[in-house]
Amino acid sequence: MWYYVKTLEYPVNLKCKDLNMAKYLITQYGGPDGELGAALRYLDQRFTMPTGKAKGLLTDIGTEEMAHVEMIATMVYQLMENATIEELKKAGLAGHYADHRKAIFYTDATGNPWTATYIQAKGDVIADLHEDLAAEQKARATYENLIHLTDEPQIKEILKFLREREVVHYQRFGECLEHVQDVMCIKK
Amino acid sequence: MNIIMNTRKLNMRGEKMHAKDALESIRIYQFCAIELNLYLDNFPDDKNARDDYNKVSCTLTNLIHEYEKNYGPLTNFGSAHVENPRAWVEQPWPWENC
């Protein structure tokens, strides 16, 4: 069971119209290292975690990732909100308009739709946690790429918050891996 | 009740600003709670973190209660402190620029 909370985890109030950034940012919504994949990966893997701590951590990080999905969608929505068709065409978003008008959709920066092949659940806690650690680093790197692509301080600030969250999640997954390995050693 | 009436009497701009500030405090405490929750998943016996989590969670509950009394529910499915179905659908949604 989940409850919705009617506020963002971190405020997003972008008044600027920046279609190029909207186009790049969408990859953190539905791209290979994006937030949707992260949320679905952790909320899926948690079922076969061997300890209560690991189940708890994947549930809670997976839930926080859903809040990040909403933040990215909000950024893209606000950056595109007041765009004219001419502006969308100029930014290379005519294809997006044809399929989705101004709706937000799960794609990467070049329009490829999200696919479950971005994620894995191996049923092996060591393999799964290593995937999770890698996922956090890939998301962290993507946020850095996005930060390089904009000069807008407001956009940078939000991306820096999200980047920091990936670092914290990486830390927590690392601690979880150690804990699981300790438990496995004791069992032997 | 008086507090609610007085808040309602404020002009749109005044009310919006007040709601925005209240929401900002909630967001700050909510973030502390998330951060402590994740840490405590791995170290559930850490005394300092548990004390902080209790304090943060208590303040957060009070802030949310106060906000919901004045402006409407923040959560769905019967989990708000004060239910108000009309405010739930009429208060702006988080992605709407204000």
Side-chain angles (χ1 to χ4, degrees), chain A residues 67-83:
Chain A
H68 299 167
V69 170
E70 188 184 31
M71 279 179 64
I72 296 291
T74 299
M75 292 177 85
V76 175
Y77 171 79
Q78 291 177 356
L79 291 172
M80 286 208 318
E81 196 182 1
N82 298 314

Side-chain angles (χ1 to χ4, degrees), chain A residues 6 13-15 60 175, chain B residues 35 41-42 74 88 97-98:
Chain A
K6 203 173 167 180
N13 255 307
L14 300 171
K15 311 278 189 205
D60 294 332
E175 292 157 357
Chain B
E35 192 64 332
D41 283 341
N42 287 340
L74 283 176
W88 178 252
N97 232 322
C98 49

Side-chain angles (χ1 to χ4, degrees), chain A residues 25-56:
Chain A
L25 278 170
I26 199 72
T27 196
Q28 284 300 64
Y29 194 59
D33 306 311
E35 300 288 358
L36 179 74
L40 296 183
R41 176 190 296 112
Y42 307 147
L43 294 177
D44 185 52
Q45 289 177 352
R46 70 194 176 118
F47 286 91
T48 47
M49 285 290 130
T51 71
K53 279 186 181 180
K55 284 171 197 157

Side-chain angles (χ1 to χ4, degrees), chain A residues 84-98:
Chain A
T84 64
I85 294 198
E86 276 313 308
E87 288 168 330
L88 288 170
K89 274 188 193 169
K90 220 186 263 173
L93 284 167
H96 179 96
Y97 189 85

